[in-house]
Amino acid sequence: MDGCNVVATVARATVLFRRRRCGYAMEKFLKRKAPSTGNTSNNNTIDINNLPWDPSERPKIRSYDPNQRDEVRRKYLVRGPCQPRGHEFPSKVIGAKARRFVVNWFDQFQWLEYSVKVDRAYCLPCYLFKDQSGNHGTDAFVTDGFNSWSKKDRLKLHEGEVNSFHHKALKKSEDLINQNQSISVALHKQTELMKSDYHMRLNASVEVCRYLLENALPFRGNDESENSMYKGLFLGTLKLIGRTNSDIEKVILQNAPKNNQLTSPMIQKDLVTCFAEEVLKSIMGEIGDDVFALLVDESSDVSRKEQMVVVLRFVDKYGIVQERFISVVHAMDTSALSLKSALDALFAKHGLSFTKVRGQGYDGASNMSGKFNGLKALILNDNESAFYIHCFAHQLQLVVVAVAKKHDGVKDFFDLLALVVTVVNSSCKRKDMLRESHKDRIQEEIGNEEIVTGKGLNQEISLIRAGDTRWNSHLKTITSLISLFPEVKMVLEYVEDDGDNGASRLQASGLLSYFKTFEFVFYMHLVLTILGLTNSLSQALQRKDQDILEAVDLIRTTKAQLQMLRENGFDQVLEKCYSFCDKHEIVKLDMMEGYVNTRNPRKRMNISNRHHYNYDIFNTVLAMQIREFGDRFCEISTDLLQNMAALNPRNSFSQFNKSSLLKLSKMYPRDFDEKERMILEHELDIYYHFIYNDVRFANLNGIADLARSMVATRKHLSHPLVYRLLKLTLVLPVATATVERCFSAMKLVKTDLRNRIGDDFLNAALICDIEKEAHAKVKTEDVIDRFQKMKTRRGQI
């Protein structure tokens, strides 16, 4: 090598060294301590997930910690401007005319925000970067807000020319979201191979997260160290994917860069959040700016935290009633005012408005349905069209509870029934005796050809314990007791002879004595008959698409069946009792003999057995049931429901009544003004003529079928005001069964072994688990895009 080459080589090495040193110094200068997303002792550091939603409540950007400002900006940019499209914008007099904000401005000016609290408009990009420019002057769209609704040209004037501060703020917003243009990324320029590996690695983590979410499975293991045999389902499933695909195996886990494996708990939480936000985005897109009903209930989780579940009921674009879970909120205080404040924050977060609420569904708790200070009353103060309906399923439960409390014989039967289940199921040995004895009896009956065999028949059964909150679950308990009656008697006889102590033996002896009485047999079949009649109604009220008119018809039908049973059903129940007594060798009573009170045999009653069982028990219990039905469901006779009944298409629209539907429109002043009611009066005539003569509407069973048929035939476009009435009727809630199902899902997600799940992670996981259909439609690329925009990532795509 000659001297010139040596000099050139040394010069290149010197330049390369200086560049590397400069880059290292720049990286060291730019690198800051990562801000915490939780509450810390630093007063300037805030929780990034609890940023104010309303523009008027946001502090200035320079008030945030310098290390956190870009993270705050990115959070607002990913979430987008606050645009409550469903809000009913108030009017104010400007000059001689009433003016208000126009919702179409959101489409013309993508940067525009609106504050529901102060009725003013703001600019999101200018708010985010106003302080950064060094210009601390006043700007109506940043500080005070704009509310001169008569001067739309001010919006265009705010945008200004190409070099205006607004356009510069827009450019800074785009640059902040586009991480490929950041200095830190430029210093660590990735090759195409590195980008491809990162995308494959991230895609694998996303798919693992999707699988665990849709099955409500835990993510982490107790020990995730290198030497652990079980590192949790997230790492285990990711490893499984690698074993089945060699290309993925080369870029994940130990084959990935140590600082970019995309498996940390923080990465997992970010991915879960991305899935949940995509699901909520689709749900909010379904609702749009349409009306909806609000279903709310509270329950404690496994950590004894009071959780408030929020479900929205609405009619989608196909005319189908939907009930969608949108959030679970940790309620620190369960007072009505606190719950209303939590709902205000939740609605602001998703761009919803209480002015669009057209129905409320709660249980009977005072903080929910209180007439003066409950959540119902607080919402009605803001919106008189948010009609409240007490949960029909809860009312049905109270009907049974009321009878069980008021009638001594029924109360004793339920108490002893629960005691029998407890005694029989209190040990594994007794349960095994029950199962084996039942198995032997079934085999003997099959051998004697007394019962038929087939797929799904003669399965192993057990004595079912009734639920505390669902009284119709007693139906399963009674049916299982009837099926296992010989085996239950055998277990009780065993306890009577060989019980653990004198108390248990005495208890079993008392239960056996009660089992041998005709009174027990009669109460068992009477309660079984009543619960059987109400079970169809109970099951129907669990449906998400159940409309209030159909529910009212079912209630009336059930009440009529109970009345028919009271008038003509005693002999049928008595025949079933005699058949049960013959089968199980229980002494039958002659109904014509004098009644003897078993508790006080010396006291003469001077009545026959038939009089006692027919009038004192059968008629009395059914009269209580019928009376409770009338008291609990008294609201079904209100004007609102009577007017809604005019929409019922059954029997060729026999209940159609024009005046009732016009009265119904007056009950919704926010949805129909005077001009629209005049148009509706003429539209109803045309609607009835076309629908009545259209064979496609000839055999409809309810208003739910009517709504679907109108959308399918595009009649909802020809008669928009009638369809609006139909949607208002369908939106009115019937029961809070969907909320109860959400609580059941919460027990699967947050268990005793996962009792330290944070509120944000619990909420996101529940959204994905409950809304499985929407979760399945979430695209992987959308999750990846949202994940990349959340914060600065080491890898880029």
Side-chain angles (χ1 to χ4, degrees):
M1 183 180 292
D2 57 12
C4 293
N5 291 334
V6 172
V7 172
T9 301
V10 172
R12 284 196 298 269
T14 303
V15 172
L16 182 61
F17 173 75
R18 288 176 178 175
R19 286 180 178 175
R20 288 180 176 175
R21 185 173 62 180
C22 181
Y24 173 76
M26 181 64 70
E27 180 184 359
K28 185 177 180 181
F29 173 75
L30 291 173
K31 187 176 181 181
R32 291 172 175 171
K33 184 179 179 181
S36 172
T37 57
N39 295 326
T40 67
S41 58
N42 187 352
N43 294 330
N44 295 327
T45 303
I46 50 89
D47 185 356
I48 204 69
N49 294 317
N50 291 325
L51 296 175
W53 295 97
D54 195 286
S56 65
E57 297 179 343
R58 297 171 184 166
K60 294 181 179 181
I61 286 293
R62 66 171 178 266
S63 66
Y64 293 106
D65 187 275
N67 290 330
Q68 208 173 10
R69 288 175 189 171
D70 280 350
E71 193 176 359
V72 171
R73 292 187 178 105
R74 186 177 286 109
K75 182 70 175 181
Y76 277 119
L77 289 172
V78 171
R79 188 174 59 192
C82 180
Q83 298 181 348
R85 296 175 181 267
H87 178 64
E88 186 172 329
F89 301 100
S91 301
K92 72 172 184 175
V93 177
I94 301 178
K97 295 183 178 180
R99 306 281 188 173
R100 65 178 180 178
F101 183 89
V102 180
V103 70
N104 292 335
W105 292 350
F106 288 141
D107 299 322
Q108 300 176 39
F109 307 97
Q110 301 294 327
W111 48 265
L112 190 61
E113 295 189 291
Y114 178 83
S115 170
V116 175
K117 187 175 182 179
V118 298
D119 186 30
R120 290 176 181 269
Y122 296 84
C123 174
L124 177 60
C126 291
Y127 159 73
L128 297 177
F129 293 97
K130 183 72 174 176
D131 295 338
Q132 197 180 57
S133 66
N135 178 13
H136 303 309
T138 59
D139 188 337
F141 286 90
V142 177
T143 55
D144 301 328
F146 170 80
N147 65 346
S148 299
W149 310 132
S150 61
K151 300 176 181 179
K152 179 186 173 183
D153 56 321
R154 293 284 183 87
L155 301 176
K156 195 68 178 175
L157 184 63
H158 170 74
E159 290 183 334
E161 301 296 333
V162 177
N163 293 325
S164 67
F165 174 76
H166 174 81
H167 283 285
K168 291 180 181 179
L170 284 176
K171 184 66 170 66
K172 291 178 181 178
S173 301
E174 294 173 1
D175 293 342
L176 184 63
I177 290 297
N178 186 6
Q179 297 182 24
N180 287 321
Q181 298 183 6
S182 66
I183 297 176
S184 59
V185 172
L187 291 174
H188 300 278
K189 199 65 177 179
Q190 291 179 306
T191 64
E192 291 301 320
L193 179 60
M194 294 171 64
K195 289 183 179 180
S196 176
D197 291 348
Y198 176 78
H199 186 274
M200 190 181 300
R201 184 161 57 250
L202 178 56
N203 188 80
S205 294
V206 169
E207 291 304 323
V208 171
C209 185
R210 182 195 296 274
Y211 169 74
L212 297 180
L213 284 173
E214 66 188 9
N215 291 282
L217 296 173
F219 278 61
R220 303 187 61 188
N222 184 51
D223 182 8
E224 296 184 354
S225 62
E226 288 293 332
N227 299 325
S228 174
M229 296 299 295
Y230 177 71
K231 300 179 182 180
L233 286 177
F234 186 89
L235 296 178
T237 308
L238 191 61
K239 187 176 181 179
L240 175 63
I241 292 176
R243 285 203 300 265
T244 58
N245 190 315
S246 58
D247 293 335
I248 296 177
E249 187 177 20
K250 294 176 182 178
V251 298
I252 62 173
L253 299 175
Q254 68 273 10
N255 297 325
K258 296 299 181 181
N259 61 351
N260 195 16
Q261 293 188 346
L262 298 176
T263 58
S264 69
M266 187 60 66
I267 294 293
Q268 296 175 24
K269 291 178 181 179
D270 286 347
L271 289 175
V272 172
T273 300
C274 291
F275 270 107
E277 290 182 352
E278 287 295 324
V279 171
L280 287 175
K281 180 181 176 182
S282 66
I283 293 175
M284 295 307 152
E286 287 185 85
I287 299 176
D289 61 348
D290 211 344
V291 297
F292 57 88
L294 180 65
L295 305 176
V296 179
D297 201 356
E298 304 165 63
S299 180
S300 60
D301 61 20
V302 70
S303 298
R304 307 306 299 171
K305 289 183 178 180
E306 193 73 17
Q307 303 286 1
M308 178 177 69
V309 165
V310 182
V311 173
L312 301 184
R313 178 185 172 96
F314 59 94
V315 180
D316 65 11
K317 61 182 179 180
Y318 302 106
I320 301 174
V321 178
Q322 302 286 354
E323 290 184 355
R324 299 293 194 192
F325 168 77
I326 64 167
S327 184
V328 56
V329 181
H330 179 200
M332 301 291 290
D333 184 4
T334 58
S335 65
L337 286 174
S338 298
L339 297 181
K340 179 62 163 58
S341 299
L343 287 174
D344 286 336
L346 181 64
F347 274 36
K349 177 179 179 180
H350 298 300
L352 301 171
S353 173
F354 281 101
T355 58
K356 290 296 182 179
V357 178
R358 294 297 179 271
Q360 304 179 66
Y362 316 125
D363 59 11
S366 59
N367 63 335
M368 291 287 188
S369 56
K371 187 174 181 180
F372 300 104
N373 298 318
L375 181 61
K376 172 194 75 173
L378 295 177
I379 295 178
L380 283 173
N381 291 337
D382 297 335
N383 181 3
E384 68 278 10
S385 298
F387 296 106
Y388 165 73
I389 296 295
H390 193 161
C391 172
F392 281 10
H394 187 259
Q395 295 280 53
L396 181 61
Q397 172 191 342
L398 293 177
V399 170
V400 184
V401 172
V403 175
K405 288 182 176 180
K406 293 180 180 179
H407 194 279
D408 293 337
V410 176
K411 183 179 183 301
D412 292 342
F413 171 77
F414 277 125
D415 291 342
L416 292 172
L417 182 64
L419 185 59
V420 168
V421 176
T422 301
V423 171
V424 173
N425 293 335
S426 62
S427 71
C428 298
K429 182 177 181 180
R430 297 175 190 178
K431 295 180 73 172
D432 287 340
M433 290 176 58
L434 187 76
R435 283 191 289 260
E436 290 300 321
S437 178
H438 178 254
K439 179 180 177 181
D440 294 341
R441 180 165 63 88
I442 292 297
Q443 290 177 345
E444 181 181 352
E445 292 178 352
I446 292 175
N448 297 333
E449 297 184 351
E450 297 179 10
I451 57 177
V452 296
T453 60
K455 185 177 180 180
L457 299 178
N458 307 316
Q459 297 292 313
E460 181 181 279
I461 60 176
S462 60
L463 196 57
I464 301 174
R465 184 179 298 277
D468 294 332
T469 58
R470 288 289 174 265
W471 273 74
N472 238 44
S473 62
H474 283 80
L475 178 64
K476 295 181 179 180
T477 304
I478 296 175
T479 54
S480 65
L481 175 61
I482 292 176
S483 301
L484 296 170
F485 189 76
E487 290 75 28
V488 171
K489 282 184 62 179
M490 183 200 69
V491 173
L492 291 176
E493 289 171 354
Y494 164 78
V495 176
E496 183 183 25
D497 296 335
D498 302 319
D500 298 334
N501 50 59
S504 62
R505 291 193 292 270
L506 184 61
Q507 192 178 61
S509 177
L511 290 173
L512 279 172
S513 300
Y514 182 65
F515 269 19
K516 295 176 182 178
T517 63
F518 183 81
E519 182 180 359
F520 155 74
V521 177
F522 188 81
Y523 274 117
M524 182 171 63
H525 283 84
L526 173 59
V527 174
L528 177 66
T529 304
I530 293 174
L531 292 179
L533 286 176
T534 59
N535 184 58
S536 298
L537 174 60
S538 178
Q539 295 299 320
L541 293 176
Q542 309 303 313
R543 287 169 40 198
K544 291 184 179 182
D545 61 344
Q546 182 68 268
D547 64 83
I548 194 164
L549 295 183
E550 185 176 354
V552 169
D553 287 340
L554 286 171
I555 290 169
R556 289 171 177 165
T557 301
T558 304
K559 186 177 178 180
Q561 289 177 337
L562 289 173
Q563 184 64 40
M564 290 176 59
L565 177 65
R566 181 188 178 189
E567 296 173 356
N568 307 310
F570 177 75
D571 291 333
Q572 297 176 3
V573 173
L574 189 62
E575 184 178 351
K576 293 178 181 178
C577 294
Y578 281 164
S579 176
F580 185 87
C581 291
D582 291 335
K583 184 177 180 180
H584 298 288
E585 299 178 354
I586 298 176
V587 178
K588 297 184 292 185
L589 292 182
D590 186 349
M591 290 293 108
M592 303 309 297
E593 291 183 357
Y595 170 69
V596 178
N597 188 350
T598 55
R599 299 178 183 179
N600 191 1
R602 295 183 178 181
K603 184 179 180 181
R604 300 183 62 84
M605 304 298 294
N606 295 324
I607 58 173
S608 65
N609 286 326
R610 186 178 186 86
H611 183 278
H612 173 70
Y613 284 98
N614 191 356
Y615 296 101
D616 295 344
I617 299 178
F618 186 83
N619 275 276
T620 302
V621 171
L622 284 171
M624 288 181 178
Q625 285 276 346
I626 296 169
R627 184 168 60 252
E628 287 294 331
F629 258 89
D631 295 340
R632 297 289 178 181
F633 297 102
C634 59
E635 60 232 56
I636 63 176
S637 61
T638 60
D639 293 337
L640 176 67
L641 298 183
Q642 288 178 353
N643 293 332
M644 286 180 171
L647 287 167
N648 200 327
R650 288 183 179 176
N651 301 323
S652 300
F653 297 87
S654 59
Q655 298 185 54
F656 179 83
N657 189 306
K658 182 178 175 180
S659 61
S660 295
L661 294 178
L662 290 175
K663 291 178 182 178
L664 180 61
S665 67
K666 293 180 180 179
M667 293 181 169
Y668 291 97
R670 293 178 179 268
D671 299 280
F672 295 92
D673 54 26
E674 289 295 334
K675 182 179 178 181
E676 287 178 324
R677 277 195 286 270
M678 293 174 61
I679 298 173
L680 176 64
E681 185 174 3
H682 300 287
E683 187 177 297
L684 284 170
D685 295 327
I686 302 173
Y687 158 80
Y688 182 71
H689 174 76
F690 278 104
I691 299 295
Y692 183 79
N693 295 289
D694 194 330
V695 294
R696 293 173 294 183
F697 295 85
N699 299 312
L700 301 179
N701 293 322
I703 58 175
D705 291 343
L706 177 60
R708 288 192 289 267
S709 298
M710 287 189 70
V711 174
T713 58
R714 301 183 67 81
K715 293 292 185 182
H716 69 299
L717 302 178
S718 305
H719 313 293
L721 298 180
V722 177
Y723 186 66
R724 190 184 302 173
L725 277 177
L726 190 58
K727 285 198 298 184
L728 291 170
T729 304
L730 286 170
V731 158
L732 204 62
V734 176
T736 59
T738 301
V739 179
E740 300 295 338
R741 280 190 282 267
C742 294
F743 288 135
S744 299
M746 184 170 65
K747 293 179 181 179
L748 297 177
V749 173
K750 189 170 184 178
T751 63
D752 289 331
L753 296 179
R754 302 176 71 192
N755 59 6
R756 296 180 64 184
I757 290 180
D759 293 334
D760 293 334
F761 186 86
L762 174 63
N763 179 55
L766 277 177
I767 290 172
C768 299
D769 179 57
I770 295 171
E771 298 300 331
K772 294 183 184 294
E773 184 178 352
H775 174 70
K777 295 179 181 178
V778 174
K779 297 180 180 178
T780 301
E781 290 304 320
D782 292 338
V783 175
I784 291 176
D785 182 61
R786 184 180 288 273
F787 174 80
Q788 288 296 110
K789 291 179 179 179
M790 284 180 69
K791 58 183 70 172
T792 302
R793 305 294 181 185
R794 293 184 183 275
Q796 299 300 318
I797 297 176

